Amino acid sequence: PILAYNSFNVVQQQSYLNIMDLNTGRIILKFSLGPTYPILVDIDSDGSAELFFNEAHHGPTDHGFAVYTLVQGYNLMGESLRGFPKRMHLVTNSPLTIDDIDNDKMIELIGNSAYDLYVWDLDFPYEESSLYWPMYKHDSQNTGCYDCEVEENHPTHITPT
């Protein structure tokens, strides 16, 4: 099992996204960026999760001033996934989501900026069992609980498994 969490170094005044292997207690990946909401999904069914998160960018460029967000996708070896990063106009801290929103049995990655909704087809089959942490706070009820079942007919009732 793995854990993704944000931390802040007071001395360096820097935020980090950390990925820890819970079996060893070792941080296996560390990204220097502002607060973000990572999602973990085994999109290629290899038994190992892939990590997706937003990375805000703003500042001067060769062509003026740019404000945009890169959607990053990595495997747990720290290698960028094929087709990533993806770019969204404007900076956003809105969390990403993975789902099958068009019912084609394939995974879509969903993100938004201030004015736009982005949907990318990832060309991998949608398998609910591989959605470890597919959205902000884990599930549509925002329980933040990895090992709970949310009853569809009673959305406020959470049953620990």
Side-chain angles (χ1 to χ4, degrees):
I2 58 173
L3 171 69
Y5 64 95
N6 291 304
S7 63
F8 184 75
N9 184 312
V10 177
V11 175
Q12 297 174 345
Q13 293 293 300
Q14 180 62 53
S15 292
Y16 295 96
L17 171 61
N18 303 283
I19 310 300
M20 178 186 287
D21 180 336
L22 292 178
N23 289 326
T24 65
R26 189 175 64 88
I27 293 178
I28 54 178
L29 292 174
K30 187 173 200 170
F31 298 94
S32 174
L33 51 114
T36 188
Y37 308 100
I39 57 177
L40 297 163
V41 179
D42 182 7
I43 62 169
D44 56 8
S45 302
D46 67 352
S48 181
E50 283 75 38
L51 169 72
F52 300 91
F53 60 88
N54 291 333
E55 183 178 20
H57 289 269
H58 44 83
T61 69
D62 294 339
H63 306 289
F65 193 83
V67 178
Y68 59 95
T69 298
L70 289 179
V71 176
Q72 300 287 2
Y74 287 92
N75 64 25
L76 293 184
M77 300 299 292
E79 301 163 335
S80 186
L81 299 177
R82 180 178 38 89
F84 284 86
K86 299 186 180 299
R87 187 177 172 133
M88 291 193 290
H89 299 289
L90 302 177
V91 171
T92 181
N93 285 329
S94 296
L96 299 167
T97 299
I98 287 206
D99 206 344
D100 176 16
I101 62 171
D102 58 5
N103 295 315
D104 66 351
K105 298 184 176 29
M106 301 296 282
I107 291 176
E108 285 90 37
L109 177 63
I110 303 124
N112 71 291
S113 65
Y115 305 106
D116 299 304
L117 177 67
Y118 295 83
V119 178
W120 295 280
D121 287 313
L122 296 187
D123 295 325
F124 289 97
Y126 178 85
E127 296 179 28
E128 197 165 325
S129 63
S130 67
L131 304 178
Y132 306 136
W133 200 272
M135 65 186 68
Y136 176 67
K137 290 195 174 181
H138 185 265
D139 51 58
S140 61
Q141 305 306 318
N142 294 150
T143 65
C145 180
Y146 177 76
D147 197 19
C148 294
E149 281 186 31
V150 177
E151 294 183 23
E152 294 300 322
N153 295 333
H154 304 284
T156 58
H157 180 70
I158 302 167
T159 306
T161 54

